[in-house]
Amino acid sequence: MKKVICLFFLLMFIPTNNIQAKCMYSDIAEMKKIASNINYSYEYKIVNDDALFDITLTNLTNDIYFVDSTTEKTYKNKTGEYVLKNYKSGETVIYNFYLNNPDCLDTSLYTIRIVLPKYNKYYNNSICADIQEFSLCQKWSSHNLDYNTFLDKVNQYKNDKLKEEEKEKKVVDNDSLFHYIIIFLTDYYYIILIVLGGTISVIAYIRNKRNSIYS
């Protein structure tokens, strides 16, 4: 019991200011600003009909370490730039950055989340030659279709597009016909009036002639 009491009083008189000062909130706030300046970029290469990505992190400092949640690997003492290689297309990569200070162990500073585009190995197929706007014919497209299903969906898109174009063409043709009629009436209205006037005069003459005969 005496030993416990002595230990209690001993702990009370141990100075804590120096320990706390090593991990001040102001320092952490400053390091968070530095961590927020970390940037990334990526480039890809095609291997076995799929894209593999290399991610480059820049503005790293020795005061910060990071953990790749994809591989669960920790990277310390990295200054300036670091390249991490061979991520799969469509993969979501998360880097968590921490303060590299034993007095502030595991203090989280910043997180970068990168969603890598999904590579479409069918995009360059000849069936896509005239419909590059279709999502399944673009280089980066999130789908897991087998080749036959891909062909079916592309052909369906082509058929639907053709039907829509034919429908629009009919509308355009009808509009064009109406337009031509309006132009004709506008340009030759005086001829129409002469013909119409002459027709009315002939009809009136015939009616008057008949009335005079039967009267």
Side-chain angles (χ1 to χ4, degrees):
M1 186 65 181
K2 290 182 179 180
K3 291 182 178 180
V4 174
I5 294 174
C6 291
L7 181 60
F8 174 75
F9 281 103
L10 181 62
L11 291 174
M12 286 183 60
F13 289 102
I14 292 177
T16 59
N17 291 338
N18 291 335
I19 295 176
Q20 293 176 352
K22 293 179 181 179
C23 191
M24 298 293 290
Y25 287 115
S26 58
D27 295 334
I28 295 174
E30 181 63 26
M31 291 307 301
K32 285 186 176 182
K33 288 182 180 179
I34 293 174
S36 67
N37 289 324
I38 296 173
N39 294 320
Y40 73 88
S41 61
Y42 55 75
E43 55 185 17
Y44 71 93
K45 54 183 177 290
I46 304 301
V47 179
N48 296 328
D49 283 335
D50 201 0
L52 292 179
F53 289 81
D54 295 340
I55 299 177
T56 300
L57 297 174
T58 56
N59 297 333
L60 296 170
T61 71
N62 281 328
D63 298 319
I64 297 172
Y65 75 92
F66 66 95
V67 177
D68 180 352
S69 64
T70 307
T71 61
E72 298 298 332
K73 290 184 178 180
T74 299
Y75 300 88
K76 294 183 178 181
N77 300 322
K78 302 298 180 185
T79 301
E81 179 179 294
Y82 195 74
V83 180
L84 299 102
K85 297 185 175 183
N86 296 332
Y87 292 97
K88 297 178 181 178
S89 71
E91 193 170 21
T92 298
V93 181
I94 299 176
Y95 298 123
N96 294 307
F97 296 86
Y98 300 93
L99 187 58
N100 190 15
N101 185 334
D103 297 314
C104 302
L105 192 62
D106 296 332
T107 300
S108 179
L109 299 176
Y110 191 59
T111 298
I112 290 179
R113 181 186 181 91
I114 307 170
V115 180
L116 298 173
K118 178 70 175 176
Y119 179 70
N120 176 20
K121 63 182 179 181
Y122 304 133
Y123 86 98
N124 211 21
N125 191 286
S126 59
I127 196 174
C128 288
D130 56 344
I131 53 169
Q132 288 88 355
E133 77 283 356
F134 185 40
S135 61
L136 293 183
C137 287
Q138 295 176 5
K139 191 171 188 176
W140 306 105
S141 179
S142 296
H143 72 80
N144 294 306
L145 304 177
D146 59 60
Y147 184 64
N148 290 331
T149 305
F150 165 77
L151 291 179
D152 290 341
K153 288 187 175 294
V154 171
N155 284 323
Q156 181 63 48
Y157 175 81
K158 283 190 167 185
N159 291 334
D160 293 341
K161 182 181 180 182
L162 181 60
K163 290 178 182 178
E164 187 64 27
E165 289 175 348
E166 290 176 350
K167 182 179 178 181
E168 291 177 356
K169 186 175 183 301
K170 289 181 180 179
V171 173
V172 171
D173 290 344
N174 291 336
D175 289 343
S176 298
L177 178 60
F178 180 75
H179 180 69
Y180 290 140
I181 292 173
I182 294 298
I183 291 177
F184 178 80
L185 292 176
T186 302
D187 292 344
Y188 301 102
Y189 70 93
Y190 57 92
I191 297 177
I192 296 173
L193 290 176
I194 293 174
V195 173
L196 183 61
T199 302
I200 293 174
S201 298
V202 171
I203 293 174
Y205 173 78
I206 293 173
R207 285 183 176 178
N208 291 333
K209 193 71 174 176
R210 286 179 179 177
N211 291 334
S212 63
I213 293 174
Y214 294 106
S215 59

